[in-house]
Amino acid sequence: MSEQNPHNTLVVDAFPVDDQKPLAPFAGEESPGRLPSAPSFLGSALLLALSRPRVLLFLMLPLLLLPLVVALPVFLGAEPLAPLQGNPGGTEIDLPEVAPSWVFREWTRAMPDTLPAAAASLPPLLLFMSLFNLLVTGGWMGLAVSRRREHSLRSFLGHGGRAFFPFLRTWFLGLPLFAFVTWLCWGAPAEWFFGLFLPEGDPDLGASESTGRWLEILRQLIYLNALFKMELWLDLARASLTLGERRSALLAMVRSFWLFLRNPWGIYGLGLCGFGLELLWIAGAEAIRQVLDAPLWPMLLILPFGRIVMRGMRYAALARFAASRAI
Amino acid sequence: MRHMAVLPVVLLLLGCLTPNGSAQEAVAAADLQYEMDVRLDEDGRTIQADLVVQWTNTGKAPTSELRWHVYNNAWSGPQSLWLQEARRHGDRSQPKVVGDTQVEQVRMLTQGEDLPLDWNYQSQPGAPLDRTVAITPLPKPVAPGETVQVALRFTAALPQAFRRSGWGPHGYLHAVQWYPKLGVFEQLDGQWQWNCEPYRYLTEFYADFATYQVRLTVPERYRDHLVATGSIQGDGPQDNADGTVTYETYAEQVHDYAWTVDSNALLMEREFHAENYRDEQQEALMARALGKTEEEVRPSSTRMILLIQPEHEGLADRYFDAVGKALYYYGLWYGSYPYPTISCVDPANDARKTGGMEYPRLITGGARLGRLATTMSPEGVTVHELGHQFWYGLVGNDEFRHAWLDEGFNTYSTARVLEAGWPPELETWSVFGREVAGRLPMSLPSYDEGELRSVLDLTRWESPDLRWIPALSYELRHRHDLERLFAELPPITAFPRVEKHRVTDNRRVMDHDWTEPLQKPTMDLLNSSMRRVNAYRRPALTLETMGRLMGEERWARVLYRYHQTWRFKHPQPQDFLDILLAEGQGAEVVGTEERVTIDWQSFWKHAYLENDRLGFSVHHLRNVPAPAAEDGSARFTVYAGIRRVSDFAVPVPIRITWDDGSSTTHVWDAKTWTWDQRFEQAPMRAVRLDIDPERLLMLEDDWLDNSLQLDADDEISWDMGIQVMLWAQQVLQYYGGSG
């Protein structure tokens, strides 16, 4: 008790603010045997994401600034193209709708270094975004399972910051797994499988072109599905780390793998629904733009905003799902 | 043999019946005749044949030998010159199953004699064991005008489909360059000698026009599954007691003989009639240019035969349409296709390497499922190969030395046919093996195995060899079409409609180094890249530039006259130049007030003999306020300047556009290095300066510096920038969630 005037002393916090254990509703309050469905998790997670506008705005920044690294050289380098649009002897140039391909070829030849350099700046940005996303994941998951209703950007970054290095360990653990899946689908096992249907596994040696095409389509579908499941597994591991403030990424991977095995359709369905909603946002935005015949530049804001919300929704939903299963 | 006596009469009649009214000169084909009894083994890969060749010395000097091409031996093993040169050029491909021709017997049959002859392969520098040229010494010289008859017995095992020739494992055989074939006895470097080069990596084929009478005996399964250079005589094949069938075929005035069988393919036939493809504008142009009626210039009919894979049956109409349009336009521009049939083969999937090639009266196309109609597959390759019937097939240039005389002319012509006959191609991206129209604004860079940078884009893990940890190299993610769909969102981020125009598309050759002049013999070029430059698009652009400078009618006459003059003969580049100079005399570049005559000798010197690139660039356009006119209206002094940036001087039109929208066109002869003009007391400002606004000079090196617009808006910059930004944003968003 403070020695100051008791009437001037106000106890503001009767709860231990550092307690990050799962929120009570997700630790057994629900009726045993009747767990919330994927849409339910997604719905509550969507509300969570939408009700954090400061977080959303902050997350928009990288997606508005980083692409400029690629786009600015292109913008500045396109200046020599300006007179082409008025060329009376030329083909119609009405970008972005229609243009002759020679415009791009002449431009590439006149500026042989600019465009490749702009493209070459993208890979390190991809790596940055992948790592930055660990912080984002930690933020959303932390908010989702926190006992307190936290809306501030500070809370988000706090959760993300605390989770970053444990999540980074899962990121590294994921690398050999991705390599393994890629090897399965594009390496010797795939060649063996192709060899069952095609001479030497070469589509150009098959009696029919269709065989090779269908095998290739199948491979791409299987591969993309495998990558998706890998991402879900890694995200579940991160949720596991978040829930118990755990540090061991390896154990988290084991736990989440076990959870995935026990709830394959629930988790897969949740992930697919979340992904599907994101695609719906993208397609819907484009459809509306086409109908209104609107310019392209508003999409620079609409698309990332929606996708950030959807991604936050997916992470939050996964975290709550994991919490509901007491992982 | 009794057919031989009938041949000259038949040929004479054929000459009289040639459509378009063009006179056919005495055909050299009567001087060379091939008669063959051919048997295809049950395996569908080995050919046994008896060949009788009758050759007349049409030269002006005697010869004591015959020289033969045995092209099939290029696939007999790594010792061949072709495969050695391929390796030197960085091409390490080898036939999976080799090809080989063994000549078992050579006899001279002349004047009732039957003498055995030697068969000696000519060793080549660097490839002493090469067997693609054989020499048969004759017991006595063959004088000019004399005839010799030689019989061969040989067995040709064809390779598994490799470099235009061979078989597929499931019943397809494309028999090309399968028989020993005489070289050409002609004047080379001032001397009468055999022009019979070995089969080299950078060259194709060259032989004399001849008559071919070929009896093809094939297994029963190939009944109604055969196409050949020769017309099938009678109602169909003859049945044999051993279960095989024999086709009697006949072809004249051709310089090669190819045939294809495929037990799985469908055989279709249609008639070509010019009335189904009429282009009134082009017919009117040709009629005016040649002083004929439109009916006279219209090509004559012929029969189209298609051997097509069952899974491509849906493309049959497109194949026929492509063949038909090519027959129409080539026939219109150069003279009718003179043969009764044209066969088109859609190669089997397991023998795609035989696709995209031409032989007299037989071509191979190639198609893939999932292509958009606008990507001209199979139209592009079909038109091009059909075009070779005219350039190479009828005008039989020496492909060893002057491949551009067929490939360049044909690339030029193909582009014009595709532009005339179809809407523009569209650039595409693909997913699930299907093409969708659109062009992504940028591509993600890709890195090879071993490049440490590949870690940055998460596609590979590469780490160097450290003391305690060995070097690691693993693929982490494999980029593929389906992932690209989700990562780059091409339905939104791609430019939806980017049109490729075939004629302009030939300018892609500007991206390459022009190391050597066009006059350099093809077989001596530095590498295969130079061959692609010097044989195909560069001469095509040169021809296109000539044509635009010369004007449509005059140019139409040049090409028509060149083709008609050299049909069934072997032209040299000088022969084309002679016609160019004769018809091109007086051609001018015309401006508002000026006219400048084109010096074609100079053009030829720069474009063909030397290695000059053509280039002009805008230097300046300025408006300086001048003292007002008497009525008080504003006046300007306008300064306009242009530079010539290379030695290649050719008259060039220059357009100045004024701020009221009007324009004036000047012509500069480009004999100096700069064009520097001052327009005094101009009543308005100049707003734009264009060099060659109508794009006559397709050889111009850089179009971007050919125009200057004052106060140009930056709309195109914004469009490009926003598109790239949107694309990059989606890529970052997608890959930001990976790992």
Side-chain angles (χ1 to χ4, degrees), chain B residues 129-197:
Chain B
L129 300 179
D130 181 74
R131 293 187 295 127
T132 59
V133 176
I135 300 173
T136 304
L138 298 172
K140 60 178 184 147
V142 182
E146 282 188 355
T147 298
V148 64
Q149 203 175 54
V150 175
L152 277 73
R153 175 166 290 172
F154 66 93
T155 300
L158 295 186
Q160 185 170 357
F162 185 78
R163 197 69 181 205
R164 313 177 184 114
S165 170
W167 48 268
H170 298 93
Y172 173 93
L173 171 70
H174 184 56
V176 300
Q177 312 306 338
W178 53 279
Y179 61 100
K181 179 168 53 171
L182 282 174
V184 179
F185 188 69
E186 62 182 4
Q187 201 165 21
L188 267 182
D189 303 324
Q191 202 178 347
W192 283 92
Q193 57 183 296
W194 284 99
N195 185 350
C196 190
E197 298 288 340

Coordinates of all heavy atoms in Angstrom, one line a residue, chain B residues 129-197:
Chain B
L129 N 36.6 -39.8 -89.7 CA 35.7 -41.0 -89.8 C 34.3 -40.6 -90.2 O 33.4 -41.4 -90.3 CB 35.7 -41.8 -88.5 CG 37.1 -42.3 -88.1 CD1 36.9 -43.1 -86.7 CD2 37.6 -43.3 -89.1
D130 N 34.2 -39.3 -90.6 CA 32.8 -38.9 -91.0 C 32.5 -39.6 -92.3 O 33.3 -39.8 -93.2 CB 32.8 -37.4 -91.2 CG 31.5 -36.9 -91.7 OD1 30.6 -36.8 -90.8 OD2 31.3 -36.6 -92.9
R131 N 31.2 -40.0 -92.4 CA 30.8 -40.8 -93.6 C 29.6 -40.1 -94.3 O 28.6 -40.8 -94.7 CB 30.5 -42.2 -93.2 CG 31.7 -43.0 -92.8 CD 31.3 -44.5 -92.6 NE 30.4 -44.7 -91.5 CZ 29.2 -45.4 -91.6 NH1 28.9 -45.9 -92.7 NH2 28.4 -45.5 -90.5
T132 N 29.5 -38.8 -94.3 CA 28.4 -38.2 -94.9 C 28.6 -37.7 -96.4 O 27.7 -37.3 -97.0 CB 27.9 -37.0 -94.1 OG1 29.0 -36.0 -94.0 CG2 27.5 -37.4 -92.7
V133 N 29.8 -37.9 -96.9 CA 30.1 -37.7 -98.3 C 30.8 -38.9 -98.8 O 31.8 -39.3 -98.2 CB 31.0 -36.4 -98.5 CG1 31.3 -36.3 -100.0 CG2 30.2 -35.2 -98.0
A134 N 30.3 -39.4 -99.9 CA 31.0 -40.6 -100.5 C 31.4 -40.2 -102.0 O 30.7 -39.4 -102.6 CB 30.1 -41.8 -100.5
I135 N 32.5 -40.8 -102.4 CA 32.9 -40.5 -103.8 C 33.0 -41.9 -104.5 O 33.5 -42.9 -104.0 CB 34.4 -39.9 -103.7 CG1 34.3 -38.6 -103.0 CG2 34.9 -39.7 -105.2 CD1 35.7 -38.0 -102.7
T136 N 32.4 -41.8 -105.7 CA 32.4 -43.0 -106.6 C 33.3 -42.6 -107.8 O 32.9 -41.9 -108.7 CB 31.0 -43.3 -107.1 OG1 30.2 -43.5 -106.0 CG2 31.0 -44.6 -107.9
P137 N 34.5 -43.1 -107.9 CA 35.3 -42.8 -109.1 C 34.7 -43.6 -110.3 O 34.2 -44.7 -110.2 CB 36.7 -43.4 -108.7 CG 36.7 -43.7 -107.2 CD 35.2 -43.9 -106.9
L138 N 34.8 -42.9 -111.4 CA 34.2 -43.5 -112.6 C 35.3 -44.0 -113.5 O 36.4 -43.4 -113.5 CB 33.4 -42.4 -113.4 CG 32.2 -41.9 -112.6 CD1 31.6 -40.7 -113.4 CD2 31.1 -43.0 -112.4
P139 N 35.0 -45.1 -114.2 CA 36.1 -45.6 -115.1 C 36.6 -44.7 -116.1 O 37.8 -44.7 -116.5 CB 35.5 -46.9 -115.7 CG 34.0 -46.7 -115.5 CD 33.8 -45.8 -114.3
K140 N 35.7 -43.8 -116.6 CA 36.1 -42.8 -117.6 C 35.3 -41.5 -117.3 O 34.2 -41.6 -116.8 CB 36.0 -43.3 -119.0 CG 34.6 -43.6 -119.4 CD 34.6 -44.0 -120.9 CE 33.2 -44.3 -121.3 NZ 32.8 -44.0 -122.6
P141 N 35.9 -40.4 -117.7 CA 35.2 -39.1 -117.4 C 33.9 -39.1 -118.1 O 33.7 -39.6 -119.2 CB 36.1 -38.1 -117.9 CG 37.5 -38.7 -118.0 CD 37.2 -40.1 -118.3
V142 N 33.0 -38.4 -117.5 CA 31.7 -38.1 -118.1 C 31.8 -36.7 -118.7 O 31.9 -35.7 -117.9 CB 30.5 -38.1 -117.1 CG1 29.2 -37.9 -117.7 CG2 30.5 -39.5 -116.4
A143 N 31.7 -36.6 -120.0 CA 31.9 -35.3 -120.6 C 30.6 -34.5 -120.5 O 29.5 -35.1 -120.3 CB 32.2 -35.5 -122.1
P144 N 30.6 -33.2 -120.8 CA 29.4 -32.4 -120.8 C 28.4 -33.0 -121.8 O 28.7 -33.3 -122.9 CB 29.9 -31.0 -121.2 CG 31.3 -30.9 -120.8 CD 31.8 -32.3 -120.9
G145 N 27.2 -33.1 -121.3 CA 26.1 -33.7 -122.1 C 26.0 -35.2 -122.1 O 25.0 -35.8 -122.5
E146 N 27.0 -35.9 -121.5 CA 26.9 -37.3 -121.4 C 26.1 -37.7 -120.2 O 26.0 -37.0 -119.2 CB 28.3 -37.9 -121.4 CG 29.0 -38.0 -122.7 CD 30.3 -38.7 -122.6 OE1 30.8 -39.1 -121.5 OE2 31.0 -38.9 -123.7
T147 N 25.7 -39.0 -120.2 CA 24.8 -39.5 -119.2 C 25.5 -40.8 -118.6 O 26.1 -41.6 -119.3 CB 23.4 -39.8 -119.7 OG1 22.8 -38.6 -120.2 CG2 22.5 -40.4 -118.6
V148 N 25.3 -40.9 -117.3 CA 25.8 -42.1 -116.6 C 24.7 -42.6 -115.8 O 23.9 -41.9 -115.2 CB 27.1 -41.8 -115.8 CG1 26.8 -40.8 -114.7 CG2 27.7 -43.1 -115.3
Q149 N 24.6 -44.0 -115.6 CA 23.6 -44.6 -114.8 C 24.3 -45.5 -113.8 O 25.1 -46.3 -114.1 CB 22.7 -45.4 -115.7 CG 21.3 -45.7 -115.1 CD 20.4 -46.4 -116.1 OE1 20.8 -47.5 -116.6 NE2 19.3 -45.8 -116.4
V150 N 23.9 -45.3 -112.5 CA 24.6 -46.0 -111.4 C 23.5 -46.7 -110.6 O 22.5 -46.0 -110.3 CB 25.4 -45.1 -110.6 CG1 26.0 -45.8 -109.4 CG2 26.5 -44.4 -111.4
A151 N 23.8 -47.9 -110.2 CA 22.8 -48.6 -109.3 C 23.5 -48.8 -107.9 O 24.7 -49.2 -107.8 CB 22.5 -50.0 -109.9
L152 N 22.7 -48.6 -106.9 CA 23.2 -48.8 -105.5 C 22.2 -49.8 -104.8 O 21.0 -49.7 -105.0 CB 23.2 -47.5 -104.7 CG 24.4 -46.6 -104.8 CD1 24.4 -45.9 -106.2 CD2 24.3 -45.5 -103.7
R153 N 22.8 -50.5 -103.9 CA 21.9 -51.3 -103.0 C 22.4 -50.9 -101.6 O 23.6 -50.9 -101.3 CB 22.1 -52.8 -103.1 CG 21.4 -53.6 -102.1 CD 21.3 -55.1 -102.5 NE 20.4 -55.2 -103.6 CZ 20.2 -56.4 -104.2 NH1 20.9 -57.4 -103.9 NH2 19.4 -56.5 -105.3
F154 N 21.4 -50.4 -100.8 CA 21.8 -50.0 -99.5 C 20.8 -50.3 -98.4 O 19.6 -50.6 -98.7 CB 22.1 -48.4 -99.5 CG 20.8 -47.6 -99.8 CD1 20.1 -47.1 -98.7 CD2 20.4 -47.3 -101.1 CE1 18.9 -46.4 -98.9 CE2 19.3 -46.6 -101.3 CZ 18.5 -46.1 -100.2
T155 N 21.3 -50.2 -97.2 CA 20.4 -50.4 -96.0 C 20.6 -49.2 -95.2 O 21.7 -48.8 -94.8 CB 20.8 -51.7 -95.2 OG1 20.6 -52.8 -96.1 CG2 19.8 -51.8 -94.0
A156 N 19.4 -48.6 -94.8 CA 19.5 -47.4 -94.0 C 18.7 -47.7 -92.7 O 17.5 -47.9 -92.7 CB 18.9 -46.2 -94.7
A157 N 19.4 -47.6 -91.6 CA 18.8 -47.7 -90.3 C 18.6 -46.3 -89.8 O 19.6 -45.6 -89.7 CB 19.6 -48.5 -89.3
L158 N 17.4 -45.9 -89.6 CA 17.2 -44.5 -89.2 C 17.3 -44.4 -87.7 O 17.1 -45.3 -87.0 CB 15.8 -44.0 -89.7 CG 15.7 -43.9 -91.2 CD1 14.3 -43.3 -91.6 CD2 16.8 -43.1 -91.8
P159 N 17.7 -43.2 -87.2 CA 17.9 -43.0 -85.8 C 16.5 -42.9 -85.1 O 15.5 -42.6 -85.7 CB 18.6 -41.7 -85.7 CG 18.2 -40.9 -86.8 CD 17.9 -41.9 -87.9
Q160 N 16.5 -43.0 -83.8 CA 15.3 -42.6 -83.0 C 15.3 -41.1 -83.1 O 16.3 -40.4 -83.0 CB 15.4 -43.1 -81.6 CG 14.1 -42.8 -80.8 CD 14.1 -43.4 -79.4 OE1 15.0 -44.1 -79.0 NE2 13.0 -43.1 -78.7
A161 N 14.1 -40.6 -83.3 CA 13.8 -39.2 -83.7 C 14.9 -38.3 -83.1 O 15.0 -38.0 -81.9 CB 12.5 -38.8 -83.2
F162 N 15.7 -37.7 -84.1 CA 16.8 -36.8 -83.7 C 17.0 -35.9 -84.8 O 17.2 -36.3 -86.0 CB 18.0 -37.6 -83.4 CG 19.2 -36.8 -82.9 CD1 19.2 -36.4 -81.6 CD2 20.2 -36.4 -83.8 CE1 20.3 -35.6 -81.1 CE2 21.3 -35.7 -83.3 CZ 21.3 -35.3 -82.0
R163 N 17.0 -34.6 -84.5 CA 17.3 -33.6 -85.5 C 16.7 -33.8 -86.9 O 17.3 -34.1 -87.8 CB 18.8 -33.5 -85.7 CG 19.3 -32.3 -86.4 CD 19.2 -31.0 -85.5 NE 19.7 -29.9 -86.2 CZ 20.1 -28.7 -85.6 NH1 20.1 -28.7 -84.3 NH2 20.5 -27.7 -86.3
R164 N 15.4 -33.7 -86.8 CA 14.5 -33.8 -88.1 C 14.3 -35.1 -88.6 O 13.5 -35.3 -89.5 CB 15.2 -32.9 -89.2 CG 15.7 -31.6 -88.8 CD 16.4 -30.9 -90.0 NE 17.0 -29.6 -89.7 CZ 18.3 -29.4 -89.7 NH1 19.1 -30.3 -90.0 NH2 18.7 -28.2 -89.4
S165 N 14.9 -36.2 -88.2 CA 14.9 -37.5 -88.8 C 14.6 -38.6 -87.8 O 15.0 -38.5 -86.7 CB 16.2 -37.7 -89.6 OG 16.3 -39.0 -90.0
G166 N 13.9 -39.6 -88.3 CA 13.8 -40.8 -87.5 C 12.5 -41.3 -87.1 O 11.4 -40.9 -87.6
W167 N 12.5 -42.2 -86.1 CA 11.3 -42.9 -85.7 C 10.9 -42.6 -84.2 O 11.8 -42.3 -83.5 CB 11.4 -44.4 -86.0 CG 12.7 -45.0 -85.4 CD1 13.9 -45.1 -86.1 CD2 13.0 -45.5 -84.1 NE1 14.8 -45.7 -85.3 CE2 14.3 -45.9 -84.1 CE3 12.2 -45.6 -82.9 CZ2 14.9 -46.4 -83.0 CZ3 12.8 -46.1 -81.8 CH2 14.2 -46.5 -81.8
G168 N 9.6 -42.9 -83.9 CA 9.2 -42.9 -82.6 C 8.9 -44.3 -82.2 O 8.6 -45.1 -83.0
P169 N 9.0 -44.6 -80.9 CA 8.8 -46.0 -80.5 C 7.4 -46.6 -80.7 O 7.2 -47.8 -80.6 CB 9.1 -46.0 -79.0 CG 9.8 -44.7 -78.7 CD 9.3 -43.7 -79.8
H170 N 6.4 -45.8 -81.1 CA 5.1 -46.3 -81.1 C 4.5 -46.3 -82.5 O 3.3 -46.1 -82.7 CB 4.2 -45.4 -80.2 CG 4.5 -45.5 -78.7 ND1 5.4 -44.6 -78.1 CD2 4.2 -46.4 -77.8 CE1 5.6 -45.0 -76.9 NE2 4.9 -46.1 -76.6
G171 N 5.3 -46.4 -83.5 CA 4.8 -46.6 -84.9 C 5.0 -45.5 -85.9 O 4.5 -45.6 -87.0
Y172 N 5.7 -44.5 -85.5 CA 5.9 -43.3 -86.4 C 7.3 -43.4 -87.0 O 8.3 -43.7 -86.3 CB 5.8 -42.1 -85.6 CG 6.2 -40.8 -86.3 CD1 5.2 -40.0 -86.9 CD2 7.5 -40.3 -86.2 CE1 5.5 -38.8 -87.5 CE2 7.8 -39.1 -86.8 CZ 6.8 -38.3 -87.4 OH 7.1 -37.1 -88.0
L173 N 7.4 -43.1 -88.3 CA 8.7 -43.1 -89.0 C 8.7 -41.9 -90.0 O 7.8 -41.8 -90.8 CB 9.0 -44.3 -89.8 CG 10.3 -44.3 -90.7 CD1 11.5 -44.2 -89.8 CD2 10.3 -45.4 -91.7
H174 N 9.7 -41.0 -89.8 CA 9.8 -39.9 -90.7 C 11.1 -40.1 -91.5 O 12.2 -39.9 -90.9 CB 9.8 -38.6 -89.9 CG 9.8 -37.4 -90.7 ND1 8.9 -37.1 -91.7 CD2 10.7 -36.3 -90.7 CE1 9.2 -35.9 -92.2 NE2 10.3 -35.4 -91.6
A175 N 11.0 -40.6 -92.7 CA 12.2 -41.0 -93.5 C 12.7 -39.8 -94.3 O 12.0 -39.4 -95.3 CB 11.9 -42.1 -94.4
V176 N 13.7 -39.1 -93.9 CA 14.3 -38.0 -94.6 C 15.8 -38.2 -94.7 O 16.4 -38.8 -93.8 CB 13.9 -36.6 -93.9 CG1 12.5 -36.4 -93.8 CG2 14.6 -36.6 -92.5
Q177 N 16.3 -37.7 -95.8 CA 17.8 -37.8 -96.0 C 18.2 -39.3 -95.8 O 19.2 -39.6 -95.2 CB 18.6 -36.9 -95.1 CG 18.1 -35.5 -95.1 CD 18.0 -34.9 -96.5 OE1 18.6 -35.3 -97.4 NE2 17.2 -33.8 -96.6
W178 N 17.4 -40.2 -96.3 CA 17.5 -41.6 -96.0 C 18.2 -42.4 -97.1 O 18.6 -43.6 -96.9 CB 16.1 -42.2 -95.7 CG 15.2 -42.0 -96.9 CD1 14.5 -40.8 -97.1 CD2 14.9 -42.8 -98.0 NE1 13.7 -40.9 -98.2 CE2 14.0 -42.1 -98.8 CE3 15.3 -44.1 -98.3 CZ2 13.5 -42.7 -100.0 CZ3 14.8 -44.7 -99.5 CH2 13.9 -44.0 -100.3
Y179 N 18.5 -41.7 -98.2 CA 19.1 -42.4 -99.3 C 20.3 -41.6 -99.8 O 20.4 -40.4 -99.6 CB 18.1 -42.5 -100.5 CG 17.6 -41.2 -101.0 CD1 18.1 -40.6 -102.2 CD2 16.6 -40.5 -100.3 CE1 17.7 -39.4 -102.6 CE2 16.2 -39.2 -100.8 CZ 16.7 -38.7 -101.9 OH 16.3 -37.5 -102.4
P180 N 21.3 -42.3 -100.4 CA 22.4 -41.6 -100.9 C 21.9 -40.7 -102.1 O 21.2 -41.2 -103.0 CB 23.3 -42.7 -101.4 CG 22.9 -43.9 -100.7 CD 21.4 -43.8 -100.5
K181 N 22.4 -39.5 -102.1 CA 21.8 -38.5 -103.0 C 23.0 -37.7 -103.6 O 23.9 -37.3 -102.9 CB 20.9 -37.5 -102.2 CG 20.3 -36.4 -103.0 CD 19.2 -35.8 -102.2 CE 19.6 -35.3 -100.9 NZ 18.6 -34.4 -100.2
L182 N 23.0 -37.5 -104.9 CA 24.1 -36.8 -105.6 C 24.1 -35.4 -105.2 O 23.1 -34.7 -104.9 CB 23.9 -36.9 -107.1 CG 24.3 -38.2 -107.8 CD1 23.9 -38.2 -109.3 CD2 25.7 -38.5 -107.6
G183 N 25.4 -34.9 -105.1 CA 25.6 -33.5 -104.9 C 25.3 -32.7 -106.2 O 24.7 -33.3 -107.2
V184 N 25.7 -31.5 -106.3 CA 25.4 -30.7 -107.5 C 26.7 -30.4 -108.2 O 27.7 -29.8 -107.5 CB 24.7 -29.3 -107.0 CG1 24.4 -28.5 -108.3 CG2 23.4 -29.6 -106.3
F185 N 26.8 -30.7 -109.4 CA 28.0 -30.4 -110.2 C 27.8 -29.0 -110.8 O 26.9 -28.9 -111.7 CB 28.2 -31.5 -111.3 CG 29.5 -31.4 -112.0 CD1 30.7 -31.6 -111.4 CD2 29.5 -31.0 -113.4 CE1 31.9 -31.5 -112.0 CE2 30.7 -30.9 -114.0 CZ 31.9 -31.2 -113.4
E186 N 28.5 -28.0 -110.3 CA 28.2 -26.7 -110.8 C 29.5 -25.9 -110.7 O 30.5 -26.3 -110.2 CB 27.2 -26.0 -109.9 CG 27.5 -25.9 -108.4 CD 26.4 -25.3 -107.6 OE1 25.3 -25.0 -108.1 OE2 26.6 -25.1 -106.4
Q187 N 29.4 -24.6 -111.1 CA 30.6 -23.7 -111.1 C 30.7 -23.1 -109.7 O 29.8 -22.4 -109.3 CB 30.4 -22.7 -112.2 CG 31.8 -22.1 -112.6 CD 31.6 -21.3 -113.9 OE1 30.6 -20.9 -114.3 NE2 32.7 -21.1 -114.6
L188 N 31.8 -23.4 -109.1 CA 32.1 -22.8 -107.8 C 33.5 -22.1 -107.8 O 34.4 -22.8 -108.2 CB 32.1 -23.9 -106.7 CG 30.9 -24.3 -105.9 CD1 31.2 -25.3 -104.9 CD2 30.3 -23.0 -105.2
D189 N 33.5 -20.9 -107.4 CA 34.8 -20.2 -107.4 C 35.5 -20.3 -108.8 O 36.7 -20.5 -108.9 CB 35.8 -20.8 -106.3 CG 35.1 -20.7 -104.9 OD1 34.4 -19.7 -104.7 OD2 35.3 -21.6 -104.1
G190 N 34.7 -20.2 -109.8 CA 35.2 -20.2 -111.2 C 35.6 -21.5 -111.7 O 36.1 -21.6 -112.9
Q191 N 35.3 -22.6 -111.0 CA 35.7 -23.9 -111.5 C 34.5 -24.8 -111.4 O 33.7 -24.8 -110.5 CB 36.7 -24.4 -110.5 CG 37.6 -25.5 -111.1 CD 38.7 -25.9 -110.0 OE1 38.9 -25.2 -109.0 NE2 39.3 -27.0 -110.3
W192 N 34.3 -25.7 -112.4 CA 33.3 -26.7 -112.4 C 33.7 -27.8 -111.5 O 34.7 -28.5 -111.7 CB 33.0 -27.2 -113.8 CG 32.2 -26.2 -114.6 CD1 32.7 -25.2 -115.4 CD2 30.8 -26.1 -114.6 NE1 31.6 -24.5 -116.0 CE2 30.5 -25.0 -115.5 CE3 29.7 -26.8 -114.0 CZ2 29.1 -24.6 -115.7 CZ3 28.4 -26.4 -114.3 CH2 28.1 -25.3 -115.1
Q193 N 32.9 -28.0 -110.5 CA 33.2 -29.1 -109.5 C 32.0 -29.5 -108.8 O 30.9 -28.9 -108.9 CB 34.2 -28.5 -108.5 CG 33.7 -27.2 -107.8 CD 34.8 -26.6 -106.9 OE1 35.2 -27.3 -105.9 NE2 35.2 -25.4 -107.2
W194 N 32.1 -30.6 -108.0 CA 31.0 -31.0 -107.2 C 30.8 -30.2 -106.0 O 31.8 -30.0 -105.2 CB 31.3 -32.5 -106.8 CG 31.0 -33.5 -107.9 CD1 32.0 -34.0 -108.7 CD2 29.8 -34.0 -108.4 NE1 31.4 -34.8 -109.6 CE2 30.1 -34.8 -109.4 CE3 28.4 -33.8 -108.0 CZ2 29.0 -35.5 -110.1 CZ3 27.4 -34.4 -108.7 CH2 27.8 -35.3 -109.8
N195 N 29.6 -29.7 -105.8 CA 29.3 -29.0 -104.6 C 28.6 -30.0 -103.7 O 27.4 -30.3 -103.9 CB 28.3 -27.8 -104.9 CG 28.0 -27.0 -103.7 OD1 28.3 -27.4 -102.5 ND2 27.4 -25.8 -103.9
C196 N 29.4 -30.6 -102.8 CA 28.8 -31.8 -102.0 C 29.5 -31.7 -100.7 O 30.4 -32.4 -100.4 CB 29.1 -33.1 -102.7 SG 28.3 -34.5 -102.0
E197 N 29.0 -30.8 -99.9 CA 29.5 -30.6 -98.5 C 29.1 -31.7 -97.6 O 28.0 -32.2 -97.7 CB 29.1 -29.2 -98.0 CG 29.6 -28.0 -98.8 CD 31.1 -27.8 -98.7 OE1 31.7 -28.3 -97.7 OE2 31.7 -27.2 -99.6

